[in-house]
Amino acid sequence: THGAGVGSQRSNAGSTSAKTRESPYATGGVAASCQTPTASSGNSKVGMFQSNNSGIPNHEPTKCSLKKSGLVSAYAANTNQGIVRNYNEDRVSIILNIMKPANKSSENWPKCSFFGVYDGHGGPACADFLRDNLHQFVIRESSFPWNPKEALRNGFMAAERHFIEMAQNMYGEGQLDKSGSCAIVILIVGEMCYC
């Protein structure tokens, strides 16, 4: 898996075939399957995903789809605040069809999807920023989509620089933001999955 904490500049990109890759996250986050899920009827199961009826408040409603998109057969996302806090700093990003940026209009563009789980801490600002922007930093890299490992690494570093600059500007205006976030992403380019 590709994980990075904003502020740490860690990168560990690798790749694996998306045709057999299944990436579930147990309590919160994204589960994506590139294999055909089995639909079940009755109760709260939808395909391979089960809705959360535990009474733990959700920050956002569960997102689930069994509609095939490229190599992705199905996905589901759920995030809970837990029982200790009355807030949730975790965020999820799902982009099933990354559109070609205008600066790459003359290039061939493969089917690309992006899934991100952001474990915010110290406030929601960093996780919100990553949810809304990290995929943009990755796809704007000159190496994307032809070298996704490099694009992921450079995109993470660019997002970190930009967020730190924003936080420093806020500090200069008298606002202190101490938020941070860990991130785990899955990027599917053509028929390959990069984590």
Side-chain angles (χ1 to χ4, degrees):
T1 53
H2 179 85
V6 170
S8 69
Q9 293 189 7
R10 288 182 291 152
S11 178
N12 211 6
S15 71
T16 182
S17 170
K19 289 183 178 177
T20 59
R21 178 75 174 179
E22 200 171 297
S23 303
Y25 298 91
T27 58
V30 174
S33 174
C34 297
Q35 299 174 341
T36 306
T38 57
S40 93
S41 58
N43 66 34
S44 60
K45 288 188 178 181
V46 179
M48 62 182 270
F49 309 110
Q50 186 168 358
S51 65
N52 179 4
N53 294 324
S54 67
I56 298 174
N58 285 350
H59 175 70
E60 298 174 343
T62 299
K63 298 171 188 159
C64 179
S65 176
L66 294 175
K67 185 178 177 185
K68 187 166 173 51
S69 178
L71 294 178
V72 178
S73 300
Y75 70 86
N78 182 290
T79 180
N80 296 306
Q81 71 187 31
I83 56 175
V84 176
R85 300 180 184 143
N86 62 356
Y87 58 91
N88 187 345
E89 299 171 342
D90 300 343
R91 302 295 185 260
V92 175
S93 176
I94 300 170
I95 298 99
L96 290 178
N97 188 16
I98 297 174
M99 302 304 292
K100 183 186 329 185
N103 66 334
K104 299 185 180 205
S105 61
S106 63
E107 295 181 26
N108 241 351
W109 194 258
K111 174 82 172 166
C112 304
S113 299
F114 184 93
F115 297 85
V117 177
Y118 308 103
D119 179 12
H121 47 267
C126 186
D128 286 340
F129 172 81
L130 291 173
R131 176 200 57 210
D132 297 340
N133 298 289
L134 180 58
H135 62 283
Q136 294 292 337
F137 283 101
V138 171
I139 69 169
R140 288 183 186 143
E141 282 295 315
S142 61
S143 56
F144 189 82
W146 314 117
N147 188 344
K149 290 181 194 180
E150 183 179 322
L152 280 169
R153 193 171 17 259
N154 293 342
F156 265 81
M157 289 189 293
E160 178 178 46
R161 283 190 303 271
H162 191 83
F163 184 78
I164 289 172
E165 182 180 311
M166 284 177 36
Q168 288 171 338
N169 289 340
M170 288 174 59
Y171 182 73
E173 297 170 3
Q175 299 174 18
L176 180 60
D177 179 23
K178 300 188 290 184
S179 69
S181 181
C182 295
I184 185 164
V185 302
I186 295 173
L187 174 64
I188 299 173
V189 178
E191 297 202 10
M192 295 296 292
C193 178
Y194 300 88
C195 318

